[in-house]
Amino acid sequence: MAQRNDDDPGYTILQCAYVARDKMIEYFALQNNGECWTDKTLGEAYNTYEVAEDSNCKDGIGGVLTNYVYQLK
């Protein structure tokens, strides 16, 4: 599980990215203001659901029932 830092959203995003990278998974998401989610089907799920309003995701760390999805290159 990635570490969460409420004072620095960038740190939380980076820690979740490291989890995905270490598992060799292309996508990761943050939900509920910082919960890290990743699995091999996340990219497919991303294309299944509607895009949320930007106001639902705070500082790139998601919101209630809203994922902010990232793709590693």
Side-chain angles (χ1 to χ4, degrees):
M1 179 60 112
Q3 292 181 357
R4 179 176 165 177
N5 184 332
D6 292 330
D7 296 328
D8 184 359
Y11 178 82
T12 302
I13 295 165
L14 188 60
Q15 291 304 305
C16 192
Y18 289 151
V19 169
R21 180 202 63 193
D22 291 349
K23 292 181 178 211
M24 298 174 62
I25 298 175
E26 183 178 7
Y27 292 91
F28 68 96
L30 289 147
Q31 183 184 71
N32 201 26
N33 301 312
E35 294 175 0
C36 179
W37 295 90
T38 188
D39 69 42
K40 294 190 183 288
T41 64
L42 188 58
E44 296 167 25
Y46 177 78
N47 293 321
T48 301
Y49 298 98
E50 292 181 28
V51 175
E53 296 293 323
D54 286 340
S55 61
N56 291 352
C57 288
K58 179 184 171 210
D59 299 326
I61 54 173
V64 176
L65 299 176
T66 305
N67 288 315
Y68 200 108
V69 179
Y70 294 86
Q71 181 181 18
L72 297 175
K73 298 264 177 180

